[in-house]
Amino acid sequence: DGGITQSPKYLFRKEGQNVTLSCEQNLNHDAMYWYRQDPGQGLRLIYYSQIVNDFQKGDIAEGYSVSREKKESFPLTVTSAQKNPTAFYLCASRKQHQETQYFGPGTRLLVL
Amino acid sequence: EDKVVQSPLSLVVHEGDTVTLNCSYEVTNFRSLLWYKQEKKAPTFLFMLTSSGIEKKSGRLSSILDKKELFSILNITATQTGDSAIYLCAAPGIEGGKLIFGQGTELSVKP
């Protein structure tokens, strides 16, 4: 089945630790996106990538990093510089020249 | 600054009621407006609207866009408990196809 997968479903981070969230898609979509969702705030864009080996900061990029070495994969690292990482993280992808983004199931990150 | 605003932020109704969710926008070079439904996890796509006055319909859900007044509504008739979810509207921004999301409307349908 074609789709977007995210792992893990739940992730626990200790103080000072970097953690990486996985996002993979087999839809042959060109662009990929990372959003953060907090209660009552909708989705906020962290980073996005329109082509391999290129990515841009979104509205809340501080404390996060990404890479796009393969078209199918867009991992997000939450660094220790992100002081309030507890949130629901959603990955999305989009085919070139289309507006609709399709979402993965999300990763819930909790701080211990 | 581009923005999308939804109202109400939360809504509680009983099964069988009809609800109307609102989405207003101020977006540079507006092209389209999208509606998503989110039940605990991934938002799923409902509608994309590009033209004023043309209703899009899927079962009990329908949506329409008013490009003059810069808003869209999502109607749900004969609500069911399975309609309980967060409904998100979004509009593409100028750069990179990124979506600008509203805060979402949390709908709760009681039996």
Side-chain angles (χ1 to χ4, degrees), chain A residues 31 33 35 37 40-43 45 48 50 59 88 90 94 99-105 108, chain B residues 31-32 34 36 38 40-43 45 48 86 88 92 95-99 101-104:
Chain A
Y33 303 81
Y35 294 92
Q37 187 175 33
Q41 292 197 43
L43 276 64
L45 183 65
Y48 65 102
Q50 298 185 77
D59 300 315
F88 189 50
L90 285 160
R94 174 182 68 88
E99 307 277 27
T100 305
Q101 293 182 17
Y102 296 92
F103 287 83
R108 194 165 296 278
Chain B
R31 303 186 299 280
S32 62
L34 292 82
Y36 289 86
Q38 185 179 22
K40 302 294 184 186
K41 43 185 183 178
F45 172 72
M48 185 172 78
I86 296 173
L88 298 162
E95 300 173 17
K98 58 183 182 179
L99 291 176
F101 280 88
Q103 316 95 303

Side-chain angles (χ1 to χ4, degrees), chain A residues 91-111:
Chain A
C91 178
S93 69
R94 174 182 68 88
K95 197 171 180 64
Q96 194 176 21
H97 305 308
Q98 292 186 3
E99 307 277 27
T100 305
Q101 293 182 17
Y102 296 92
F103 287 83
T107 293
R108 194 165 296 278
L109 177 61
L110 300 167
V111 177

Side-chain angles (χ1 to χ4, degrees), chain A residues 1 8 15 18 20 29-30 35 40 44 47-48 51 56 58 61 65 68 90 92-93 96 99:
Chain A
D1 282 353
E15 292 286 342
N18 292 354
T20 297
H29 284 179
D30 305 283
Y35 294 92
R44 292 182 291 167
Y47 267 98
Y48 65 102
I51 57 172
Q56 284 78 40
S65 66
R68 185 88 186 275
L90 285 160
S93 69
Q96 194 176 21
E99 307 277 27

Side-chain angles (χ1 to χ4, degrees), chain B:
Chain B
E1 184 183 342
D2 292 343
K3 62 180 178 181
V4 174
V5 177
Q6 292 185 246
S7 64
L9 295 182
S10 65
L11 190 57
V12 180
V13 300
H14 291 279
E15 274 192 314
D17 289 349
T18 293
V19 297
T20 298
L21 309 183
N22 302 293
C23 176
S24 64
Y25 62 89
E26 293 178 29
V27 175
T28 307
N29 294 335
F30 176 80
R31 303 186 299 280
S32 62
L33 190 129
L34 292 82
W35 284 97
Y36 289 86
K37 177 183 181 182
Q38 185 179 22
E39 298 173 88
K40 302 294 184 186
K41 43 185 183 178
T44 53
F45 172 72
L46 293 175
F47 299 113
M48 185 172 78
L49 304 158
T50 57
S51 301
S52 266
I54 298 175
E55 183 182 60
K56 292 239 175 154
K57 196 170 172 67
S58 176
R60 295 175 294 101
L61 277 66
S62 64
S63 185
I64 198 160
L65 177 67
D66 185 328
K67 291 168 78 171
K68 182 179 177 184
E69 301 297 330
L70 307 183
F71 77 91
S72 174
I73 60 171
L74 176 68
N75 277 323
I76 308 174
T77 59
T79 52
Q80 301 170 359
T81 54
D83 295 326
S84 296
I86 296 173
Y87 290 84
L88 298 162
C89 72
I94 293 177
E95 300 173 17
K98 58 183 182 179
L99 291 176
I100 303 160
F101 280 88
Q103 316 95 303
T105 293
E106 184 168 11
L107 175 65
S108 179
V109 182
K110 303 294 185 186

